[in-house]
Amino acid sequence: MKKLTLTMLLLSALLIACKPQNANTNDDLQSGKDSTQQASSSYLTDSEEENSSLSEEELSGKVVALTSHDFRQKVVEVDPVNGFRYMKNVPCVIDFYANWCRPCMSFKPTYHKIAEQYKGQVIFYQIDVDKAQDICSLFGIQSIPTLLFFDKNRQPVKMVGAPSEEEFRQALEDFIAK
């Protein structure tokens, strides 16, 4: 019994000592904010402009294919404590797809058409789920196609399934308007 008590005390001390030190998180927790608010208030509002530069390809109206590495380096910074920080100044949509997925392939022409129409206003990315399983796990992608909408200082918005052209356009307009 004494060994169990001693073990519990040591584990508690170890957990306290290994806890990440983040003053903003502690202040936010005391003020009663939930984890989404914490992420958007302490981490997502950073005005760092590093990695936020846009390439000509991203603004060209063409869909840009991403690997897991590209996603982490160019699009979204992931912090396990504070959430996600979108690194661009222009909103984006990411299409999670697979070549063997019929709904994904039927949605592809619509996605490319809308990308061309929103040239310079929205960046359109695509990620092959078979080649980026870590990113899929990170965002809880369980069925495809799934679209994720990102914008500066906001948490991502998820749309599951292959929408019609009108549904997709309306969802995009609603997201941009907020």
Side-chain angles (χ1 to χ4, degrees):
M1 186 68 154
K2 288 182 182 179
K3 285 184 180 180
L4 181 62
T5 305
L6 182 57
T7 304
M8 296 294 285
L9 285 173
L10 286 173
L11 283 173
S12 297
L14 182 63
L15 288 173
I16 292 170
C18 293
K19 183 179 177 187
Q21 299 300 313
N22 184 335
N24 290 341
T25 302
N26 290 338
D27 292 342
D28 291 342
L29 286 174
Q30 290 173 357
S31 70
K33 291 183 180 178
D34 67 17
S35 61
T36 304
Q37 290 172 320
Q38 287 175 27
S40 62
S41 66
S42 64
Y43 193 69
L44 298 173
T45 58
D46 288 345
S47 60
E48 300 171 30
E49 295 304 319
E50 66 186 60
N51 298 325
S52 66
S53 61
L54 298 169
S55 70
E56 286 182 37
E57 181 184 33
E58 291 172 322
L59 294 175
S60 69
K62 297 191 185 315
V63 176
V64 179
L66 295 176
T67 64
S68 292
H69 182 264
D70 292 339
F71 179 81
R72 291 177 187 271
Q73 293 296 312
K74 299 176 182 178
V75 182
V76 174
E77 184 177 329
V78 180
D79 183 317
V81 175
N82 295 311
F84 309 105
R85 183 177 73 87
Y86 178 58
M87 292 189 255
K88 305 292 182 179
N89 293 323
V90 174
C92 84
V93 180
I94 302 174
D95 176 23
F96 288 84
Y97 78 100
N99 289 325
W100 48 262
C101 168
R102 282 190 176 178
C104 298
M105 293 300 107
S106 68
F107 177 65
K108 186 176 181 176
T110 299
Y111 192 65
H112 284 262
K113 178 180 178 182
I114 300 291
E116 185 64 37
Q117 292 172 354
Y118 282 84
K119 179 180 180 176
Q121 299 172 8
V122 178
I123 304 168
F124 290 81
Y125 296 115
Q126 63 182 11
I127 295 180
D128 185 337
V129 297
D130 292 328
K131 296 177 183 175
Q133 293 177 0
D134 58 327
I135 302 300
C136 294
S137 294
L138 192 63
F139 290 100
I141 307 298
Q142 296 180 347
S143 61
I144 52 175
T146 293
L147 302 169
L148 280 182
F149 298 81
F150 284 92
D151 198 4
K152 196 88 169 156
N153 301 325
R154 290 170 46 189
Q155 287 296 305
V157 173
K158 186 186 289 187
M159 182 179 204
V160 179
S164 68
E165 182 177 335
E166 192 54 43
E167 290 170 329
F168 180 46
R169 187 184 315 282
Q170 187 62 51
L172 187 57
E173 285 294 327
D174 291 347
F175 183 76
I176 292 172
K178 290 183 181 179

